[in-house]
Amino acid sequence: MSERKQRVEEDAVVDAGGEGGDAVISDQRLLRGARSRRTIVRHAVDVASLEGLGGLSLGRLATDLGISKSGVQTLFGTKENLQATAVELAQEVFHAAVVHPARTTPRGAARMRALIERWIEYAEVPLFPGGCFWAANLADFDSRPGRVHDALFRCRRDWRDLLASELRYAADTGEIAELDVDLAAFQIDAVLIAANTALRMGEEEAEDVVDKIRRVVEGFLAPRR
């Protein structure tokens, strides 16, 4: 067994509090365990962005990362736990790349534009190999009740609520015309999902897709007359 493989497996057991370990574990080993777990989950997120959460399995991740299936199973237990954890990390990574940077911009129309620009970068680069994580997975779980369904749709609701909040602030302060902010947020989100599909499939030039996103959003940010 390679040194790297052995270290990841040992760390996985430590992170899960496996039996047979010392009663007192050093902070360094705990940190290594946490990093190993995050490495596994991040790979799961990347796979799910390409093949959907349904394509995840404990064995698949073990094979991809060169560790034992038992090590991965010790960490997650079930495929559903793995899927739900992947959703949670995807949201964390998305927030770090899109939401948190935009918060340095003043609230209202300016922050709304900042969020959209960050989203464009998130989808164009892309942050995940398959593009937008939510676009890749929402449809597969829209009719499948359970923990993964709830996690996915909670993330989607939080994103739309954030868009609606900035639109509401802009309207309340007179920056933009009055509008149904919930409907507008729903429409903007739908445009972003469609744009992700267009970018992934190469339906048109990326510059044209990005231009359409900006034009749609600016339509909702028209100043009050």
Side-chain angles (χ1 to χ4, degrees):
M1 178 184 294
S2 69
E3 182 180 350
R4 174 180 177 275
K5 177 178 177 182
Q6 183 175 3
R7 185 170 64 253
V8 171
E9 290 188 4
E10 288 176 352
D11 290 344
V13 173
V14 169
D15 190 51
E19 296 180 0
D22 294 334
V24 178
I25 305 172
S26 70
D27 290 344
Q28 184 178 8
R29 290 195 69 198
L30 285 171
L31 179 59
R32 283 168 49 202
R35 285 174 176 168
S36 295
R37 186 177 192 276
R38 187 178 180 90
T39 297
I40 295 170
V41 180
R42 180 54 206 250
H43 182 65
V45 171
D46 289 345
V47 171
S49 76
L50 286 163
E51 303 175 19
L53 286 162
L56 291 182
S57 71
L58 304 178
R60 161 72 184 276
L61 293 184
T63 299
D64 287 353
L65 296 173
I67 58 178
S68 70
K69 181 179 178 180
S70 62
V72 180
Q73 191 163 23
T74 298
L75 280 173
F76 302 102
T78 67
K79 178 176 178 176
E80 183 182 50
N81 286 338
L82 172 63
Q83 291 171 323
T85 305
V87 174
E88 291 166 4
L89 182 60
Q91 184 182 39
E92 179 185 329
V93 173
F94 175 82
H95 273 232
V98 178
V99 177
H100 295 314
R103 286 178 175 163
T104 63
T105 306
R107 289 207 62 188
R111 187 175 296 181
M112 186 70 183
R113 291 187 179 98
L115 285 167
I116 296 305
E117 290 304 316
R118 288 288 181 172
W119 188 95
I120 289 170
E121 184 178 351
Y122 149 82
E124 265 195 314
V125 172
L127 183 61
F128 305 120
C132 179
F133 181 87
W134 323 109
N137 288 286
L138 283 167
D140 288 343
F141 285 85
D142 59 1
S143 301
R144 296 166 60 181
R147 183 181 172 193
V148 181
H149 168 281
D150 293 347
L152 282 168
F153 281 84
R154 183 169 57 250
C155 294
R156 205 77 242 118
R157 182 194 60 211
D158 290 348
W159 171 242
R160 287 200 299 264
D161 286 349
L162 176 61
L163 297 180
S165 175
E166 296 307 328
L167 289 169
R168 185 176 294 109
Y169 184 91
D172 289 346
T173 56
E175 274 192 283
I176 65 174
E178 293 293 330
L179 76 168
D180 184 331
V181 296
D182 291 325
L183 176 59
F186 181 89
Q187 291 172 318
I188 291 171
D189 183 46
V191 167
L192 296 181
I193 295 295
N196 176 77
T197 300
L199 289 170
R200 300 283 72 77
M201 296 187 69
E203 293 176 355
E204 50 188 308
E205 294 295 327
E207 293 83 356
D208 294 334
V209 175
V210 170
D211 179 62
K212 287 177 180 177
I213 294 172
R214 290 174 178 149
R215 286 165 56 195
V216 168
V217 173
E218 286 302 321
F220 292 107
L221 300 180
R224 181 179 292 177
R225 295 179 180 178

